[in-house]
Amino acid sequence: SMQTDSQDCGSAVTRIWTGLGSSLNWSDAGNWSSNTVPDCNDHVVFNSTSSKNCLINVPVEVRNITTTIDFKGTIQLDSHRRMAAERVSLSGGAFTFRANSGIVNFTSLTIGNDVEFTSGDSTLNIAGALVLAGDAVFTSRKGNIQCASINLGQGTSFTAPSGQLVVSGTFTKHK
């Protein structure tokens, strides 16, 4: 678990992005099921409930993040914001980083279907595997990426960062 202080975490709950808040902000409780911003034990889901864009405007620490194929919005990490999650599985929408993004720590990152993931100009740390499937597009800018392994499925697109790409294990590209 990535939690820093167990007192800060409630029990594990699934929080669905409803987009009903007055802003695009992650921190706007009105955008979440039960009108509650996810905490570090929660499973975050973006699905057909709302395809409103989401701006991660605060430091975020959650357990898992999932986007389903019927989510059509864009999740954007704001400048100078850190983010941590264990399993991140993106099957719909897009994920982008604003300039001067903060450090991002994921245990694993799986991107499928036609999801476009554009990493930022700081460091993306993936303790385990970065997996691309379907027609997924992963584009890096000038930042750094560190991960244990990369597995690129047939039909996927991977653009390495102009900074460092460190893969401690295997880098596999399926033709």
Side-chain angles (χ1 to χ4, degrees):
S1 166
M2 303 174 62
Q3 63 194 52
T4 49
D5 180 354
S6 58
Q7 293 172 311
D8 297 338
C9 291
S11 58
V13 173
T14 296
R15 301 279 178 213
I16 297 171
W17 175 256
T18 63
L20 296 174
S22 58
S23 70
L24 300 176
N25 292 339
W26 179 288
S27 64
D28 183 342
N31 281 322
W32 296 101
S33 56
S34 304
N35 291 304
T36 305
V37 176
D39 74 19
C40 49
N41 262 338
D42 289 343
H43 305 285
V44 173
V45 176
F46 293 83
N47 60 21
S48 61
T49 304
S50 175
S51 281
K52 178 175 161 181
N53 294 342
C54 174
L55 177 65
I56 299 173
N57 64 314
V58 290
V60 164
E61 183 180 353
V62 295
R63 180 65 51 88
N64 300 319
I65 299 174
T66 302
T67 66
T68 64
I69 192 167
D70 42 16
F71 174 72
K72 306 300 183 194
T74 296
I75 303 167
Q76 187 171 53
L77 182 65
D78 205 356
S79 302
H80 310 293
R81 295 292 177 243
R82 296 175 68 98
M83 184 175 185
E86 291 181 17
R87 193 187 75 247
V88 178
S89 179
L90 308 177
S91 297
F95 201 111
T96 65
F97 293 60
R98 286 191 173 172
N100 302 307
S101 55
I103 293 174
V104 174
N105 295 302
F106 295 155
T107 303
S108 67
L109 174 59
T110 302
I111 307 169
N113 298 321
D114 58 353
V115 173
E116 294 188 16
F117 185 100
T118 306
S119 71
D121 44 21
S122 73
T123 298
L124 172 61
N125 294 308
I126 304 169
L130 167 61
V131 177
L132 270 60
D135 298 314
V137 176
F138 185 104
T139 305
S140 310
R141 292 200 283 261
K142 61 187 182 192
N144 304 312
I145 299 173
Q146 299 180 19
C147 58
S149 66
I150 296 180
N151 190 321
L152 305 179
Q154 186 177 357
T156 63
S157 171
F158 178 83
T159 304
S162 59
Q164 282 193 311
L165 172 63
V166 179
V167 183
S168 58
T170 58
F171 187 117
T172 307
K173 169 81 171 122
H174 299 276
K175 299 258 183 263

